[in-house]
Amino acid sequence: TNLCRMFGEACAGDGDSFTFPTPERLAEASEKDLKEAKLGFRARYVGEFARRVAEGELDPGAWCQEADSNVLRSSLLGVKGIGPYGANHLLVLLGHYGDIPCDSEVREYLGVPPKTAQREVERVAARRYGRWGRYAYLAYKFERVFIKRNYVDWCDGAKR
């Protein structure tokens, strides 16, 4: 919301809605300006990403066309601020479902102890859903939806 309000364009209507800022607009912003939008340490990464896109060095649209998950993962990991967890999320959003983005929610769902290393959580998820290959994430999500242990079933603090 802060990013849109500070760097986007006001939408017609009630005055409370703003467009998502263009890469060019974000590339013009200083790290300090981006931090004022409450981006914290991510301000540096958002600024650099926007600059690379604005200058034509990086084409996120090409990610939508990439069929090879390994090539796409490599490209995503080449962006400062995107690590394995973020890359897995982006892969899912781009239609590549072979890996599950493992966070504390997934860890808890899988019954893995809280202090377990990230790689071990990923191994547990791979063992459980790996047989679905390139559809592992979809199998994970389907299971959660089917047994009503999906995030949206608990988002207001009460089971629906």
Side-chain angles (χ1 to χ4, degrees), residues 21-119:
T22 65
E24 293 76 17
R25 176 66 181 101
L26 290 175
E28 294 170 355
S30 70
E31 186 175 334
K32 181 181 178 231
D33 292 335
L34 292 170
K35 282 185 177 180
E36 287 177 13
K38 307 286 188 224
L39 295 181
F41 72 91
R42 293 174 184 88
R44 172 177 7 137
Y45 303 127
V46 169
E48 182 175 329
F49 179 78
R51 180 195 54 75
R52 290 179 68 192
V53 172
E55 293 176 359
E57 179 186 333
L58 190 60
D59 178 14
W63 293 342
C64 299
Q65 307 304 317
E66 182 55 60
D68 186 322
S69 295
N70 292 322
V71 170
L72 182 53
R73 175 185 305 288
S74 180
S75 179
L76 293 169
L77 291 172
V79 175
K80 277 189 186 172
I82 298 178
Y85 173 70
N88 283 351
H89 267 289
L90 289 167
L91 284 163
V92 166
L93 291 172
L94 292 165
H96 298 262
Y97 308 112
D99 293 296
I100 299 168
C102 293
D103 59 4
S104 59
E105 175 74 17
V106 173
R107 179 193 43 72
E108 181 181 330
Y109 178 75
L110 295 174
V112 177
K115 300 283 185 190
T116 304
Q118 180 69 15
R119 286 190 187 267

